Amino acid sequence: MAEALEHIHRNFAEAMERFEGETGPFAGANDELSQCLEFRYKEKAGEKPKPYLVAVVIAVGLALAGWMGYRGWQNYKWAEFIETLRAQPGLVVTDFERIRGHYVIRGLRDPLAADPTELLKAAGLPLDAAEQRWGGYYALDDAIVQKRATALLRPPAGVKLTVADGVLRPEGEASATWAAALRSKALLLPGIRALDTSQLTDTDAAEFVRLQKVVEGAIIKFAVGSSVLNVTEAVKLEQLAPQIKLLLEKGRLLGENATLDVVGHSDSSGVETTNGPLSRSRAERVAAQLLRDDVVKSELQSRGVAASEPLRKEENEEGRQYNRSVTFRVRVAQSAAGAPSGTLDTPAAGNR
């Protein structure tokens, strides 16, 4: 019996090593086991085999079948695990083999890919049964490229980055500074072949447009025949000055040559020879106040238009009062950096 089992292990060792559930390679073992029974029959002709001998043979058969079943289950679980690895973005399994009861996995792994050891734990397989040999590389899977872009570009909280077919799409609101860095760096990232910013809102450009509407909607009024600011209008101008300053700063940040026209007006009473100088004096008075409030001088231009650009029809005193005023117009000369979307060189509707 012992010789037969030894012979089976010797002749079928390789088949047992590679066993994956197929019993065909072990068909020859039937002859070995049958000979054990025949040998006992020949020892004592005419005697029935003793029960313990039958039990031993059955036990050996069951043990062999159990061992092969366990080995097949092991092979199935490891094969399933390898497929899990292959499905992970950033992991490439180049070789998998079993050497003397030890599983060896070779392949390539992106630094941002899932940790194979953690996947091994999740599969419920013994860590000491596997030897992992991973080489480094940069994967071009969209999921990995998206992780890499997020890690390197560091989008602000209001921006989400997605990658599909190598196209990077930022979505949300970001400053002009970050948007400029995005445009300069995006196409340098491995796996990014194009950049689509159609869903990216420039918060600085939006703020520029908002401030432009505020400034161009402001009206500083004057008394009849006067260019002196009363207390109410002086306070109004003082409150407007920081917004004008911020508007011009946003223009510089966006690469725009933004200037502010301070336009003096007069009503239609009186003659042109007095209305012209009066309107210019009103504009200069407001510009001087803005300079005292630290608005950059080179970005201010004052001019008087007398009664040639009325704000209201002079059907009553209220209309004439609106025309005795100073208004503002933002001029934007596009530089090489490009203009922010939505900023137009047009006055606000209320100033026409």
Side-chain angles (χ1 to χ4, degrees):
M1 174 70 70
E3 293 178 359
L5 291 177
E6 182 180 350
H7 189 261
I8 289 173
H9 277 283
R10 185 171 58 253
N11 289 346
F12 296 96
E14 184 176 353
M16 282 190 266
E17 182 73 23
R18 300 179 180 277
F19 179 70
E20 295 183 355
E22 176 59 47
T23 60
F26 301 100
N30 294 334
D31 294 336
E32 300 284 346
L33 294 173
S34 297
Q35 288 177 12
C36 291
L37 293 175
E38 291 175 5
F39 177 75
R40 299 303 298 171
Y41 279 127
K42 290 178 180 178
E43 282 185 342
K44 295 183 179 181
E47 292 185 8
K48 292 183 179 180
K50 294 182 178 181
Y52 78 87
L53 181 59
V54 176
V56 169
V57 173
I58 292 174
V60 171
L62 290 175
L64 183 60
W67 182 83
M68 290 189 296
Y70 173 73
R71 179 56 59 83
W73 177 83
Q74 271 194 323
N75 290 337
Y76 169 78
K77 292 295 289 182
W78 280 97
E80 188 178 49
F81 173 66
I82 293 301
E83 290 306 311
T84 299
L85 289 180
R86 288 184 171 134
Q88 291 293 320
L91 289 178
V92 178
V93 178
T94 58
D95 187 36
F96 171 64
E97 61 179 334
R98 188 172 185 273
I99 302 176
R100 292 185 293 277
H102 201 67
Y103 295 91
V104 179
I105 305 170
R106 301 181 183 89
L108 302 173
R109 177 176 179 262
D110 187 284
L112 296 175
D115 185 350
T117 300
E118 293 301 317
L119 295 174
L120 190 62
K121 290 179 182 178
L125 296 172
L127 299 181
D128 57 359
E131 179 182 347
Q132 302 183 56
R133 302 174 185 175
W134 298 101
Y137 89 118
Y138 282 118
L140 300 182
D141 306 70
D142 284 341
I144 294 296
V145 174
Q146 182 172 314
K147 286 184 179 180
R148 184 177 299 122
T150 301
L152 296 178
L153 296 175
R154 298 180 181 178
V159 176
K160 177 183 178 182
L161 299 181
T162 59
V163 176
D165 296 328
V167 179
L168 176 62
R169 291 183 176 88
E171 181 178 352
E173 297 183 347
S175 68
T177 303
W178 185 83
L182 168 70
R183 293 183 176 92
S184 66
K185 297 176 181 178
L187 296 181
L188 300 178
L189 298 178
I192 299 296
R193 62 177 181 79
L195 175 64
D196 178 5
T197 59
S198 60
Q199 300 302 312
L200 182 65
T201 301
D202 190 329
T203 53
D204 290 314
E207 180 68 357
F208 183 91
V209 173
R210 186 192 70 79
L211 289 168
Q212 181 179 358
K213 290 179 179 179
V214 170
V215 171
E216 291 186 335
I219 300 175
I220 307 299
K221 299 174 185 175
F222 291 83
V224 177
S226 173
S227 62
V228 177
L229 285 166
N230 63 36
V231 175
T232 301
E233 299 303 307
V235 170
K236 185 191 299 185
L237 182 59
E238 185 178 356
Q239 294 173 342
L240 184 65
Q243 298 186 76
I244 292 175
K245 184 177 180 181
L246 183 58
L247 169 72
L248 299 176
E249 288 175 353
K250 291 292 182 184
R252 289 191 295 272
L253 182 63
L254 293 167
E256 304 304 323
N257 298 317
T259 58
L260 181 69
D261 278 359
V262 182
V263 184
H265 304 267
S266 68
D267 61 24
S268 60
S269 62
V271 295
E272 184 67 22
T273 55
T274 58
N275 284 343
L278 179 60
S279 65
R280 286 194 298 273
S281 179
R282 288 169 174 167
E284 290 167 357
R285 177 62 62 89
V286 170
Q289 181 63 47
L290 290 175
L291 291 176
R292 283 195 292 272
D293 291 331
D294 200 27
V295 176
V296 180
K297 181 178 180 180
S298 62
E299 295 169 319
L300 291 180
Q301 296 180 7
S302 61
R303 59 189 176 92
V305 295
S308 64
E309 298 180 14
L311 305 182
R312 299 281 182 90
K313 293 181 179 180
E314 297 186 2
E315 297 174 341
N316 50 39
E317 176 56 26
E318 183 182 6
R320 287 188 290 274
Q321 188 178 45
Y322 269 91
N323 290 338
R324 297 191 295 267
S325 63
V326 166
T327 58
F328 307 93
R329 178 173 178 175
V330 179
R331 293 185 179 274
V332 178
Q334 184 175 340
S335 67
S341 175
T343 59
L344 302 176
D345 184 17
T346 55
N351 290 359
R352 291 175 180 165

